[in-house]
Amino acid sequence: MKQQGSTREPLTPAPEFSLCLSSTPRGARLARTLAVQQLIEWCGSSYDSETARTVALVTVELAANAITHGRLPGRDFRLTLLLLPHALRIEVTDTRPECLPPTPTAGPASADTTSGRGLLLVEAYANRWGCIVRDAFTKTVWAEVAVVE
């Protein structure tokens, strides 16, 4: 007996890349490199494209915040990349759910400060960003960067 069914194609999940990295400056640099490499592989962008530079900047800022504010000794952070229809979603998961990122202010408090501008950059370069606490052990800060074809 022939079974009738839908002629629609099954939904395919968005391409995803996920990896744990050390909560060190080296881990943040590797996150940046891997994010750009994955963007190039998925979208065919070039290393010197505006999109690749934006992905690099946003990724390293999220990773730097994870290793600076979300680190527990001996615990890594996770980089996850999702290719959405018109954006690359960059997620960085760390082990400090109680340390939520502050809402960026209109500008830095002082011109001579050497830190505190990372989320201002993320807000300026990403289309959207936010934070999700899914359990008692981790939080994920995410940002979406438009993929220009």
Side-chain angles (χ1 to χ4, degrees):
M1 186 188 295
K2 192 173 184 181
Q3 197 171 15
Q4 293 184 354
S6 173
T7 58
R8 292 183 1 197
E9 292 291 319
L11 294 176
T12 57
E16 181 177 335
F17 172 88
S18 189
L19 183 67
C20 283
L21 299 165
S22 65
S23 292
T24 62
R26 183 178 183 188
R29 287 190 306 271
L30 185 55
R32 177 187 62 209
T33 301
L34 291 169
V36 171
Q37 182 61 41
Q38 197 62 56
L39 171 76
I40 290 165
E41 184 176 318
W42 282 339
C43 302
S45 299
S46 66
Y47 281 104
D48 62 347
S49 69
E50 185 69 31
T51 303
R53 287 192 294 270
T54 300
V55 165
L57 175 85
V58 169
T59 302
V60 80
E61 289 299 337
L62 295 180
N65 280 346
I67 66 172
T68 303
H69 306 292
R71 179 176 179 249
L72 287 175
R75 301 289 304 272
D76 297 334
F77 72 92
R78 176 171 292 280
L79 170 68
T80 301
L81 305 170
L82 297 160
L83 184 60
L84 305 176
H86 297 291
L88 179 70
R89 183 176 172 113
I90 304 157
E91 298 182 350
V92 174
T93 302
D94 66 46
T95 55
R96 298 284 305 273
E98 74 280 5
C99 294
L100 298 177
T103 303
T105 58
S110 172
D112 59 349
T113 60
T114 59
S115 65
R117 295 177 182 91
L119 288 178
L120 287 171
L121 291 171
V122 170
E123 189 166 83
Y125 283 91
N127 291 31
R128 301 180 331 138
W129 76 277
C131 180
I132 302 168
V133 176
R134 293 187 174 115
D135 57 45
F137 307 104
T138 61
K139 78 169 174 295
T140 300
V141 182
W142 59 270
E144 293 178 3
V145 174
V147 175
V148 180
E149 297 182 22

